[in-house]
Amino acid sequence: MKKTLALLLAAVMMLALLTACGGGDKPADNAGDSQTGQSDTTTPPADAATPEEPAAGGTVGVCIYKFDDAFMTTYRNALEAILKEKGYEPIVVDGNNDQAKQNEQINTFITQGVDALIINPVMTSAADTIIATVKGAGIPTVLINREPTPEQMAAYDKLVYVGCDARQSGTMQGELILDTPNKGDINGDGKISYIMIQGDPENVDAQYRTEFSVKALEDAGMEVEQLNLTRGDWDREKGQTICANDLAQFGDKIEVVFCNNDDMAIGALQAIQSAGRKVNEDIYLVGVDALDAALNEVQAGNMTGTVLNDANGQAAGAVAEMEKLLGGATYSSGNQSVYVDYVKVTPENVGDFMK
Ligand code: GAL
């Protein structure tokens, strides 16, 4: 009799506890659903202690080509903040500029069962392998920053690229030079003599910026002379060394320093200043990205201009496309690139871009 009473009491207590926790309200079909696994009340559900409990929006594997890249650091931070704000659990990994390492990271994410992937490939040439891998696992994937060809992307319909059209940034760099009082021809010899400090030439951003910056000058009817073109791999120190060497070799002949990105331009500026040259007086200097450091230099008159590579806009776009994919959207071939616009940054409008 005593035993029955005790059992009855225990059952009543269990029931009271369950009701208080709201466990009875949880729809049965939510169990095990990674998208809806967390309660929105302050009282945790009964299974909240399970370490594998996913965030409200699911887990997102984010592969960055290398953390030690100024622009991709801004981009990565924006991406992580947006994902977290939307209730996803981002896991962000550093590819250390090593494609083999990134391939392993992608495979690990697949084994872990992430809900979606956002990948900044180390090598554009590895796109085929990456796409085949994510397709094999059926994981919705957004590629960012290094654009594969439409043919490569066509292999998988749950894949989309979010980035910018690098041709646009190159054209804007050329326009920044055309907007100067002497259109880049400082010594008045009828031609614009320039050096080109290129990013990683394997990357379409480097190829197009190199081509279209000069094309804008030619399309405006200007004669151009390339004194040197050197790869600087998007790196500030390399930008400085290259520019210092070119200044030593070509001296006053250099009228324009084109840099495929701002980090190399900041390096180039150090070399220009050490050589006793003065930007916007006896030499012009342009970059791309609109890093904070570059905005400061544009405002101070130490850079002719830069081009906003909208990290926040691209990060927001990447998450929006990922959510479409998670919602079941597919992309048709030839229609798998989503572009965010570049914006020209000059001394006149630079204030609009500063925080
Ligand atoms: C470019 C950016 C560079 C570098 C590169 C990495 O879009 O302008 O600074 O981050 O991406 O792929």
Side-chain angles (χ1 to χ4, degrees):
M1 182 63 184
K2 245 187 182 172
K3 206 174 166 189
T4 321
L5 250 178
L7 273 174
L8 202 70
L9 204 66
V12 170
M13 277 171 73
M14 272 294 266
L15 200 70
L17 203 68
L18 269 176
T19 316
C21 289
D25 292 333
K26 199 175 172 186
D29 61 358
N30 274 358
D33 181 348
S34 63
Q35 307 288 319
T36 52
Q38 213 150 64
S39 165
D40 57 359
T41 64
T42 43
T43 315
D47 57 355
T50 318
E52 299 80 38
E53 183 74 2
T59 307
V60 182
V62 181
C63 297
I64 300 296
Y65 95 98
K66 68 169 182 173
F67 279 7
D68 183 20
D69 173 298
F71 171 72
M72 284 313 301
T73 299
T74 311
Y75 193 145
R76 160 165 64 94
N77 291 338
L79 198 54
E80 206 169 345
I82 296 169
L83 284 167
K84 281 186 180 158
E85 192 190 297
K86 285 181 160 262
Y88 295 95
E89 187 197 324
I91 307 172
V92 190
V93 293
D94 182 359
N96 289 117
N97 208 20
D98 177 345
Q99 188 60 59
K101 177 168 185 180
Q102 185 174 69
N103 292 343
E104 274 172 35
Q105 292 170 331
I106 294 171
N107 283 324
T108 305
F109 278 142
I110 290 171
T111 313
Q112 285 171 352
V114 295
D115 296 282
L117 284 165
I118 298 180
I119 303 173
N120 165 208
V122 174
M123 313 268 297
T124 318
S125 56
D128 286 329
T129 312
I130 294 173
I131 293 169
T133 306
V134 296
K135 183 184 179 179
I139 300 205
T141 301
V142 183
L143 298 180
I144 57 167
N145 180 252
R146 293 182 164 183
E147 187 174 11
T149 64
E151 293 73 31
Q152 290 176 311
M153 288 192 274
Y156 184 35
D157 64 358
K158 281 198 262 175
L159 176 112
V160 61
Y161 172 77
V162 176
C164 299
D165 180 352
R167 285 169 283 213
Q168 195 186 35
S169 53
T171 303
M172 287 179 176
Q173 285 191 297
E175 288 170 0
L176 286 166
I177 299 303
L178 292 168
D179 289 346
T180 62
N182 43 28
K183 297 189 176 180
D185 183 13
I186 294 173
N187 58 23
D189 67 351
K191 59 176 193 259
I192 303 170
S193 304
Y194 67 90
I195 61 162
M196 181 69 67
I197 306 184
Q198 201 178 28
D200 176 354
E202 205 257 356
N203 183 329
V204 81
D205 285 5
Q207 294 161 17
Y208 278 151
R209 288 176 193 165
T210 298
E211 183 186 342
F212 282 77
S213 51
V214 176
K215 186 175 180 302
L217 304 180
E218 289 170 330
D219 287 352
M222 304 298 291
E223 199 183 312
V224 296
E225 178 192 24
Q226 180 177 283
L227 297 168
N228 211 356
L229 181 154
T230 319
R231 68 180 282 178
D233 296 307
W234 310 117
D235 181 80
R236 183 177 297 201
E237 269 177 42
K238 288 188 185 172
Q240 181 182 2
T241 310
I242 292 164
C243 192
N245 289 342
D246 284 350
L247 284 165
Q249 189 178 348
F250 302 106
D252 287 350
K253 276 193 189 163
I254 304 176
E255 294 167 299
V256 174
V257 178
F258 280 115
C259 296
N260 281 174
N261 78 342
D262 279 347
D263 218 25
M264 295 190 296
I266 298 292
L269 175 61
Q270 288 163 5
I272 288 169
Q273 290 174 330
S274 303
R277 303 280 294 269
K278 180 85 184 77
V279 172
N280 291 341
E281 285 180 20
D282 58 31
I283 196 163
Y284 293 119
L285 171 67
V286 289
V288 175
D289 283 339
L291 296 181
D292 288 345
L295 294 175
N296 288 334
E297 299 299 359
V298 172
Q299 193 177 49
N302 296 324
M303 272 179 71
T304 309
T306 184
V307 177
L308 172 72
N309 191 3
D310 186 357
N312 291 316
Q314 290 174 75
V319 175
E321 293 304 320
M322 179 199 81
E323 291 193 308
K324 284 189 205 162
L325 287 170
L326 284 171
T330 52
Y331 290 81
S332 54
S333 102
N335 200 18
Q336 283 173 278
S337 285
V338 176
Y339 292 126
V340 174
D341 271 332
Y342 284 107
V343 187
K344 226 190 296 181
V345 183
T346 64
E348 289 73 43
N349 72 0
V350 66
D352 301 347
F353 301 88
M354 299 179 93
K355 282 160 209 142

